[in-house]
Amino acid sequence: MTVLFRRSEMHSLAAPYALDALEPREHQRFEKHLKRCDSCAAEVRLLREDAVRLAWNTAAPAPAAMRNRVLMAVRTTPQEAAPGQTALGPQPHPRAAQQPLPGMRAQRPRPSRLHGLLSPLAATTAAAALVVAALFGVQASRTQDQLDQERTQAREIANILAAPDAAASAGQVANGQSINVVASASERAAVVTPAGLGRPTNGRVHQLWLMRPEVQPRSLGLFDGDTPLLATDLNPDATSLAVTVEPQGGSPQPTSAPVVQLALNSVGFGE
Amino acid sequence: MQADELLVLVAKGDQKAFEDLYGLVSGPVFGLVRRVVRDPAQSEEVAQEVLLELWRSAARYDPGRGSALAWVLTLAHRRAVDRVRSARAAGEREMREAQRASGPAFDQVAEEVEAGLEREWVRRCLDRLTALQRQSVTLAYYDGYTYREVAERLSLPLGTVKTRMRDGLTRLRECLGGAV
């Protein structure tokens, strides 16, 4: 491969780079160069600060409805681990072990994939589309089957979030372990997102249960890392959700006390 | 609390901190995205994605490498530019050009918002640039054109555009340095 840019030419790309004015291939090449060139990095940082000043006179109030949509979406969206953090660290971040997230690095190809994904969702709300975007934004490369399955699930999640009676609730537990719930009584369904649960040791799993008065708990499935769990066919008399630690593969009935329990009355259940 | 501190809390999964951060940055993010993308519905979509991305990737923010707001706006600008370019590539160019031509060159978005001191300063300092510096910088930053496209539009050699961009930004820095 020939050297396409001399050093000085590469250097002259700093200003266009700071203004996001490079073509994709130049952008990549320049970022590669930046890693090896300390003086360039310092200059780019300065030029970027200058460019950001141009945003000073563009601020405008965001549409009021946007706030709720974003905050709702945040409740069901897993976070990326800090760069360089791994499960081997002395104090692993609860999410670090579960999300290597190779997909996150490749930001640029994302919109096109999302485009096809979001179009069937045109009828649902923007919040729903956002969550779908978030779910698929963090997926690594998958087989077509897995993708189809995730897409179906994402669509069902979108439906719940779009329901007129969708309501959110978050469990609060002292040790930082919690679950967030967005539920719709009319859809009889909920999206349950683990927050800080981590993964139990020794191959055990976190299992989610639906609790009802005078009935045995019903399993709603096993958590896989921070991925939200879709719970359907929820009984209207359900009183709470509970998470227990169970042996690999889960149990027919809970074998231990819940690590997290969340009442459902605030989200329209328990009548 | 400052955006810098909030972002650190957000990286730890603090939803309350995210709500506060939203209050601080949603206006700047939405305004910047709309300045670049123009179309209100698409702007809202992009702004939402940016704000959600803040939640998702807050852990990537490194306080040692600049202010949180700068980090947020850099992200917002990149996403806005990506959107406007793919829209152009998808053949919406003519429509967009027509929209652009009908509006005032610089400030159609700004009018709804209170005129802040900073806003005033940016405008003043942009006025002090040479015409070519100003056009090179604003066509790229506010309109999302690559420097190659800017060169084409201004009928200038590539090297000249790159230099004008650099000089323009540097002069802006000198002019705005005292206005923080």
Side-chain angles (χ1 to χ4, degrees):
Chain A
M1 208 173 148
T2 53
V3 179
L4 291 163
F5 288 99
R6 287 196 315 267
R7 195 177 170 81
S8 62
E9 272 180 283
M10 194 51 102
H11 221 80
S12 72
L13 293 180
Y17 175 80
L19 290 163
D20 291 320
L22 294 180
E23 319 261 330
R25 283 184 59 193
E26 280 174 321
H27 183 94
Q28 280 174 3
R29 208 174 300 144
F30 187 75
E31 289 206 322
K32 221 165 141 186
H33 172 71
L34 264 185
K35 285 188 187 132
R36 301 189 306 263
C37 173
D38 288 346
S39 65
C40 305
E43 192 192 7
V44 159
R45 195 178 305 172
L46 214 56
L47 287 168
R48 272 226 182 273
E49 284 168 21
D50 298 333
V52 163
R53 292 193 167 108
L54 290 164
W56 282 0
N57 70 340
T58 58
M66 203 175 104
R67 185 173 186 275
N68 260 344
R69 283 201 296 270
V70 172
L71 296 184
M72 189 90 119
V74 155
R75 286 178 183 275
T76 49
T77 302
Q79 285 181 299
E80 186 188 346
Q85 234 173 354
T86 70
L88 300 173
Q91 279 186 308
H93 191 278
R95 293 168 187 88
Q98 300 140 20
Q99 295 194 23
L101 297 182
M104 283 299 291
R105 297 268 168 253
Q107 295 289 1
R108 287 182 176 262
R110 203 155 58 86
S112 58
R113 191 150 67 109
L114 277 180
H115 223 73
L117 188 69
L118 293 185
S119 43
L121 291 166
T124 62
T125 67
L130 255 186
V131 169
V132 177
L135 287 173
F136 285 88
V138 298
Q139 302 295 355
S141 58
R142 302 290 173 100
T143 65
Q144 192 57 46
D145 270 5
Q146 282 170 316
L147 268 177
D148 288 345
Q149 203 181 344
E150 283 160 4
R151 239 170 254 210
T152 308
Q153 173 161 351
R155 219 162 278 162
E156 287 175 40
I157 288 175
N159 279 334
I160 298 170
L161 296 175
D165 65 341
S169 179
Q172 289 297 338
V173 174
N175 60 6
Q177 295 193 323
S178 174
I179 49 175
N180 296 320
V181 176
V182 175
S184 161
S186 65
E187 299 280 323
R188 300 184 59 186
V191 184
V192 186
T193 314
L197 281 186
R199 265 185 215 276
T201 50
N202 300 330
R204 289 175 304 166
V205 290
H206 279 127
Q207 191 164 4
L208 181 68
W209 307 92
L210 184 70
M211 314 298 278
R212 298 163 59 198
E214 295 162 41
V215 183
Q216 297 271 323
R218 170 158 74 90
S219 174
L220 295 174
L222 307 177
F223 280 118
D224 176 16
D226 275 358
T227 307
L229 204 57
L230 179 68
T232 52
D233 296 321
L234 298 184
N235 313 71
D237 65 347
T239 53
S240 68
L241 294 171
V243 179
T244 61
V245 176
E246 301 295 335
Q248 196 162 24
S251 309
Q253 282 296 307
T255 60
S256 60
V259 289
V260 175
Q261 193 156 8
L262 178 68
L264 288 175
N265 53 353
S266 68
V267 291
F269 286 86
E271 273 83 57
Chain B
M1 228 186 286
Q2 300 283 310
D4 307 59
E5 303 165 78
L6 289 171
L7 207 43
V8 172
L9 293 176
V10 169
K12 294 175 182 155
D14 187 332
Q15 294 187 358
K16 177 71 182 66
F18 183 81
E19 282 182 38
D20 294 345
L21 182 69
Y22 184 95
L24 288 180
V25 306
S26 62
V29 165
F30 178 71
L32 175 59
V33 169
R34 198 171 68 169
R35 185 72 176 81
V36 177
V37 174
R38 304 285 175 117
D39 175 75
Q42 285 199 44
S43 301
E44 198 170 328
E45 221 176 277
V46 173
Q48 283 177 174
E49 283 172 19
V50 169
L51 289 159
L52 193 62
E53 190 170 346
L54 290 186
W55 164 257
R56 239 174 28 218
S57 57
R60 280 201 220 163
Y61 169 62
D62 176 359
R65 298 182 60 184
S67 81
L69 190 59
W71 186 73
V72 170
L73 289 174
T74 300
L75 179 69
H77 188 257
R78 195 168 308 161
R79 297 291 169 264
V81 162
D82 282 349
R83 174 63 67 100
V84 93
R85 286 192 193 146
S86 58
R88 277 188 194 129
E92 289 177 27
R93 186 173 190 139
E94 278 75 10
M95 210 179 72
R96 208 162 284 279
E97 296 306 325
Q99 277 173 6
R100 249 166 239 270
S102 66
F106 185 58
D107 224 350
Q108 65 193 158
V109 167
E111 58 200 54
E112 301 162 27
V113 192
E114 295 161 48
L117 221 56
E118 293 168 343
R119 182 184 303 280
E120 186 54 37
W121 270 104
V122 173
R123 194 173 327 184
R124 241 180 249 214
C125 291
L126 277 172
D127 283 346
R128 287 198 205 169
L129 306 186
T130 67
L132 284 184
Q133 287 172 346
R134 184 169 52 247
Q135 285 168 318
S136 301
V137 165
T138 58
L139 280 172
Y141 196 78
Y142 292 135
D143 295 324
Y145 289 107
T146 66
Y147 78 98
R148 288 173 188 277
E149 289 167 329
V150 172
E152 205 174 299
R153 290 173 75 89
L154 299 178
S155 310
L156 290 173
L158 288 177
T160 309
V161 168
K162 289 188 279 190
T163 313
R164 295 295 170 271
M165 284 178 170
R166 179 189 298 262
D167 295 346
L169 284 176
T170 311
R171 229 160 134 173
L172 209 56
R173 179 193 315 162
E174 286 157 9
C175 180
L176 284 169
V180 183

